[in-house]
Amino acid sequence: MSEFLDLLALYYLCDATALLRPMSGGEVQDCMATYDAVKAWFAPFDLAAEGTLERHAQMLDAYRGFLAWQDANADLVSHLRAEAMAHAQGLAGNAIR
């Protein structure tokens, strides 16, 4: 579970950073990979081939699973989001100096 929480912390940091400032192309790519990794956590082990409708449906179901997990763990999610925003604001403040 710790690996998943570390991944979520990064996921929420991406969201917080995007709210505070435009991100570079590299940051966007890294965050997209993080978003995909979070969805994959909820995906079946036997994923269909990339680019297929079956794979799309599996990843959509995985995303829905993630949303359900967030709803079931609202307090933890709120805590992680608050930590991510504080961290992102700290990084933004350091960049200005």
Side-chain angles (χ1 to χ4, degrees):
M1 183 74 156
S2 177
E3 182 183 337
F4 178 63
L5 292 180
D6 290 345
L7 183 61
L8 275 182
L10 186 55
Y11 177 89
Y12 296 132
L13 181 59
C14 285
D15 281 354
T17 301
L19 288 172
L20 295 174
R21 64 170 175 79
M23 295 192 303
S24 71
E27 288 173 317
V28 170
Q29 287 181 348
D30 290 345
C31 287
M32 292 303 297
T34 299
Y35 297 158
D36 286 342
V38 168
K39 284 189 293 187
W41 196 273
F42 292 88
F45 287 106
D46 55 341
L47 285 171
E50 283 197 39
T52 63
L53 290 176
E54 184 181 359
R55 173 72 170 252
H56 174 74
Q58 288 173 325
M59 295 311 287
L60 187 57
D61 285 344
Y63 181 65
R64 289 180 181 133
F66 170 59
L67 293 178
W69 182 91
Q70 284 189 122
D71 288 345
N73 295 278
D75 290 342
L76 175 60
V77 169
S78 179
H79 174 75
L80 290 171
R81 283 189 178 277
E83 282 187 350
M85 182 56 75
H87 186 72
Q89 288 172 332
L91 291 174
N94 288 337
I96 294 171
R97 293 179 192 158

